[in-house]
């Protein structure tokens, strides 16, 4: 598959369109928001002194670059993402930081990665968007060495993440036809069901699956809240088709709903996620 990815993919259209542009514009706030997960991934990888790391759904490259900084030239760090706008930013950041990390614009579900080439595969909220998650994780398994580790974060349910659903919930009073995601469909909460996640990993050849609920305190500058409301998620996309007057009323209504999360100069909330790890092969246990 070439860099452009699958032309018929709804996810490709989304992340190379409005969603990709929104993440590029919101990059500083989003990096701050998800820093706790970046830090945990960096520490998880550091525990095994990796030779080659693949960051799936790397976005604008924050986690890839953090791992590359931690390990220097001793490890090759690669980020892969379907979004051209975000990969462009990631490559620019790598150049500015004189980092050894490299970035691939491609769909990790189908892109032909060199076999047995990565001993760590990680993701910070980048694996819930595959059209066929079993095929995607099987493709990643083929790219993993025989002793590779898989470590990623994914969102738990929408009900457990009220901050993430506040904008959409309030805006439905104004936009009742705003599309709803079907359970399990590609999207933010596609991996909410732990049984489904285990099933996907088992079916794609990963073993020793471990999952643990994580509740992390997140924050980003309050000055970025309006940008977050108007550009991110389903509401950000819906507002593109609303007249200016209605848009202003919706944004005012939604912003009031976020007031409980504003603490001084920060927006603060708890993120309810799954921390997931697996291995590319069953560990051999030697009896004493």
């Amino acid at each position: 598959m070439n860099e452009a990815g699958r032309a018929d993919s709804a996810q490709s259209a989304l992340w190379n369109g409005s969603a990709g542009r929104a993440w590029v514009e919101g990059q500083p706030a989003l990096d701050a928001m998800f820093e706790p997960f970046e830090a945990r991934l960096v520490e998880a990888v550091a525990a095994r002194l990796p030779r080659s790391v693949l960051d799936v759904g790397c976005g604008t490259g924050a986690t890839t670059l953090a791992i590359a900084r931690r390990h220097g030239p001793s490890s090759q760090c690669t980020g892969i993402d379907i979004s051209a706008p975000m990969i462009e930013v990631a490559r620019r950041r790598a150049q500015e930081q004189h980092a050894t990390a490299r970035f691939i614009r491609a769909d990790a579900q189908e892109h032909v990665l060199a076999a047995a080439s990565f001993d760590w595969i990680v993701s910070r909220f980048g694996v819930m968007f595959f059209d066929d998650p079993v095929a995607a994780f099987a493709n990643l398994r083929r790219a993993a060495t025989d002793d590779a580790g898989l470590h990623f974060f994914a969102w738990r349910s929408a009900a457990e993440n009220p901050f993430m659903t506040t904008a959409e919930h309030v805006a439905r009073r104004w936009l009742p036809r705003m599309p709803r995601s079907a359970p399990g469909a590609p999207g933010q909460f596609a991996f909410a069901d732990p049984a489904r996640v285990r099933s996907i990993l088992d079916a794609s050849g990963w073993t020793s699956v471990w999952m643990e609920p994580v509740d992390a305190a997140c924050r980003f500058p309050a000055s970025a809240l309006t940008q977050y409301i108007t550009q991110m998620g389903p509401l950000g996309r819906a507002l593109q088709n609303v007249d200016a007057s209605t848009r202003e009323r919706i944004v005012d209504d939604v912003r009031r709903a976020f007031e409980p999360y504003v603490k001084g100069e920060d927006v603060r909330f708890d993120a309810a996620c799954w921390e997931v790890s697996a291995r590319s092969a069953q560990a051999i246990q030697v009896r004493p």
Side-chain angles (χ1 to χ4, degrees), residues 107-124:
D107 184 347
Q109 179 175 313
E110 295 186 347
H111 184 69
V112 180
L113 296 158
S117 56
F118 298 101
D119 56 3
W120 261 110
I121 297 176
V122 302
S123 183
R124 186 197 69 179

Side-chain angles (χ1 to χ4, degrees), residues 33-41 124-125 153 214 216 218 271 273:
M33 184 188 303
F34 296 135
E35 192 279 334
F37 302 100
E38 172 191 304
R40 291 179 74 128
L41 284 173
R124 186 197 69 179
F125 305 119
F153 286 96
V214 171
C218 298
C273 307

Side-chain angles (χ1 to χ4, degrees), residues 106-221:
D107 184 347
Q109 179 175 313
E110 295 186 347
H111 184 69
V112 180
L113 296 158
S117 56
F118 298 101
D119 56 3
W120 261 110
I121 297 176
V122 302
S123 183
R124 186 197 69 179
F125 305 119
V127 296
M128 304 91 65
F129 304 95
F130 296 123
D131 294 332
D132 185 342
V134 172
F137 279 97
N139 191 40
L140 296 175
R141 172 63 186 86
R142 286 189 289 271
T145 60
D146 285 342
D147 61 344
L150 172 71
H151 205 107
F152 66 84
F153 286 96
W155 297 99
R156 300 205 311 266
S157 69
E160 295 171 279
N161 285 284
F163 177 86
M164 289 293 165
T165 57
T166 292
E168 183 178 354
H169 175 74
V170 173
R172 284 197 185 279
R173 297 199 289 258
W174 300 85
L175 304 169
R177 296 184 180 179
M178 192 161 50
R180 298 178 185 269
S181 296
Q188 183 175 8
F189 301 112
F191 278 18
D193 180 359
R196 180 171 185 258
V197 176
R198 289 182 180 277
S199 175
I200 289 167
L201 295 177
D202 288 345
S204 55
W206 294 92
T207 65
S208 304
V209 177
W210 170 89
M211 296 183 66
E212 181 172 278
V214 171
D215 296 293
C218 298
R219 66 180 181 177
F220 64 94

Side-chain angles (χ1 to χ4, degrees), residues 13-288:
L14 177 65
W15 293 106
N16 284 289
S18 59
R21 292 190 298 271
W23 274 72
V24 165
E25 293 176 18
Q27 175 238 311
L30 293 166
D31 283 354
M33 184 188 303
F34 296 135
E35 192 279 334
F37 302 100
E38 172 191 304
R40 291 179 74 128
L41 284 173
V42 169
E43 291 304 316
V45 171
R48 290 193 66 204
L49 299 176
R51 298 178 300 277
S52 184
V53 181
L54 179 66
D55 181 13
V56 180
C58 66
T60 56
T63 301
T64 319
L65 293 168
I67 294 171
R69 285 193 300 272
R70 177 69 174 265
H71 296 282
S74 64
S75 298
Q76 174 61 59
C77 297
T78 302
I80 185 169
D81 201 288
I82 202 169
S83 173
M86 288 197 279
I87 285 294
E88 181 180 351
V89 172
R91 288 171 175 166
R92 184 173 67 246
R93 294 173 78 181
Q95 185 175 23
E96 291 170 350
Q97 296 177 25
H98 304 288
T100 57
R102 68 188 185 104
F103 294 93
I104 302 169
R105 183 207 166 191
D107 184 347
Q109 179 175 313
E110 295 186 347
H111 184 69
V112 180
L113 296 158
S117 56
F118 298 101
D119 56 3
W120 261 110
I121 297 176
V122 302
S123 183
R124 186 197 69 179
F125 305 119
V127 296
M128 304 91 65
F129 304 95
F130 296 123
D131 294 332
D132 185 342
V134 172
F137 279 97
N139 191 40
L140 296 175
R141 172 63 186 86
R142 286 189 289 271
T145 60
D146 285 342
D147 61 344
L150 172 71
H151 205 107
F152 66 84
F153 286 96
W155 297 99
R156 300 205 311 266
S157 69
E160 295 171 279
N161 285 284
F163 177 86
M164 289 293 165
T165 57
T166 292
E168 183 178 354
H169 175 74
V170 173
R172 284 197 185 279
R173 297 199 289 258
W174 300 85
L175 304 169
R177 296 184 180 179
M178 192 161 50
R180 298 178 185 269
S181 296
Q188 183 175 8
F189 301 112
F191 278 18
D193 180 359
R196 180 171 185 258
V197 176
R198 289 182 180 277
S199 175
I200 289 167
L201 295 177
D202 288 345
S204 55
W206 294 92
T207 65
S208 304
V209 177
W210 170 89
M211 296 183 66
E212 181 172 278
V214 171
D215 296 293
C218 298
R219 66 180 181 177
F220 64 94
S223 59
L225 180 57
T226 297
Q227 181 185 43
Y228 175 83
I229 291 170
T230 57
Q231 294 187 0
M232 305 302 296
L235 177 57
R237 295 190 289 276
L239 286 176
Q240 297 175 34
N241 302 311
V242 174
D243 66 83
S245 176
T246 303
R247 183 181 190 275
E248 183 177 355
R249 290 196 293 270
I250 293 172
V251 172
D252 287 345
D253 199 10
V254 172
R255 189 174 177 95
R256 281 192 295 273
F258 275 102
E259 286 180 0
Y261 297 103
V262 178
K263 310 295 182 183
E265 296 183 354
D266 290 331
V267 175
R268 297 174 180 262
F269 67 96
D270 290 333
C273 307
W274 292 114
E275 183 172 6
V276 185
S277 70
R279 300 297 298 272
S280 58
Q282 186 68 45
I284 299 174
Q285 298 182 354
V286 179
R287 293 182 180 277

